[in-house]
Amino acid sequence: MTRLPHAVDPVIAAAGDLLGARPDSIEVLGGGRNSRVYRVEIGGKRFALKRYPSLADDPRDRLGTEVEALRLLAAHELSNIPRVIAIDRERNFVLLSWLDGAPVTSVGDFDIDQAVAFLEIIHRMRRRAATAFHREAAEACLSGQELEVQIRRRLATLHAHCDGETTLVTFLRDSFEPLLENLAKNAKSEMAAAGLDFPATLPQEKRSLIPADFGFHNSLRRADGTLVFVDFEYFGWDDPVKLTADVLHHPGTRMGPSQRDRFRRAALDIYGEDASFGARLGALYPLFGLRWALILLNEFLPNRWRLRVAAGEAESWAQAKARQLSRARELVARTEEMANG
């Protein structure tokens, strides 16, 4: 946590304009890998100030998506989320209510149950929200084919920008790509056996509102043990299979086998009114593991690394690449073991 200098600064300027007065203090909070979050104090009150990447760096409207999502959730009286206080579109800042809590470092059954309850409320909102919220979730996967396309696109991007990265290229060629061919073939076979069409776009009635990038890495534990949820930059309509697979695969917070099973069973209850949900999840789940492995390798891309640095990354690029390649190897090995098991 770093205290900002008491000099003219765009963060101080934005905070002052949004608050209507110069803040007493501003502190940078760690944890954000793309956006930056600051704790702002004025007159004994605390707020969270969030700064989003510019549209030049990332064309997705993260600010607009998060503001719309939080206002939608607030309208449905969800209390364990931040509230939007004020917006500075020109500077790309939003002032949010402050939520006390500590990072979630371990996950127990009570945490799983809280996350499930939160997702169930959002899923129930989908019919009333259909005319109020129109954005798709970031990188929505509305068909098996779209999931495969996204994986292959990420793979091509890595190859195009990482010719000199010998270790990475060897891993992709010898481990990742053969497994991708096997898992894509298996997914198509499993979906066909279940009477499902791998290339077909999921119809609207089977989609749900998804707090994409949801998980315990984007939650805080309050003193009483209850959780609050933050970071809704990627919220929108998607196949709930993607949400379920992402939570189970996400490397940010490791869940034990019993917690994974508990979450998976709960997801089948929440989304199981769609009779094809379980079959889609079973067929596509391993491919989502490969997708996550490539996400871990974003640090190899120069433009993505610049965003990390802008968000306050202190680690060297070489260290980050070595760490992320190791994590990607582990995830690919676990995905292969699961697929063969």
Side-chain angles (χ1 to χ4, degrees), residues 218-239:
N218 279 329
S219 64
L220 298 170
R221 192 186 306 283
R222 293 186 286 207
D224 62 359
T226 59
L227 300 180
V228 294
F229 299 99
V230 299
D231 199 349
F232 295 88
E233 299 177 21
Y234 304 131
F235 189 95
W237 293 97
D238 203 347
D239 186 346

Side-chain angles (χ1 to χ4, degrees), residues 266-277:
L268 289 168
D269 287 340
I270 296 173
Y271 306 115
E273 65 189 64
D274 167 13
S276 67
F277 172 80

Side-chain angles (χ1 to χ4, degrees), residues 194-271:
L196 302 174
D197 189 356
F198 188 81
T201 300
L202 194 71
Q204 179 63 39
E205 63 268 18
K206 294 189 176 184
R207 303 178 193 181
S208 189
L209 285 171
I210 300 299
D213 199 25
F214 178 80
F216 300 102
H217 62 296
N218 279 329
S219 64
L220 298 170
R221 192 186 306 283
R222 293 186 286 207
D224 62 359
T226 59
L227 300 180
V228 294
F229 299 99
V230 299
D231 199 349
F232 295 88
E233 299 177 21
Y234 304 131
F235 189 95
W237 293 97
D238 203 347
D239 186 346
V241 162
K242 179 173 183 288
L243 168 74
T244 305
D246 281 352
V247 171
L248 292 170
H249 279 302
H250 199 289
T253 304
R254 298 284 181 92
M255 289 187 283
S258 65
Q259 281 76 41
R260 290 180 188 278
D261 183 62
R262 191 180 188 91
F263 182 83
R264 186 168 186 149
R265 285 187 284 108
L268 289 168
D269 287 340
I270 296 173
Y271 306 115

Side-chain angles (χ1 to χ4, degrees), residues 65-83 118-119 121-123 125 129 133 209-211 214 229-232 235:
T65 298
E66 183 150 44
V67 166
E68 282 188 36
L70 288 175
R71 286 176 170 168
L72 177 69
L73 297 176
H76 287 78
E77 300 183 353
L78 280 164
S79 60
N80 51 351
I81 56 168
R83 294 291 191 271
F118 184 73
L119 292 173
I121 291 171
I122 295 175
H123 182 58
M125 287 167 39
F133 195 95
L209 285 171
I210 300 299
F214 178 80
F229 299 99
V230 299
D231 199 349
F232 295 88
F235 189 95

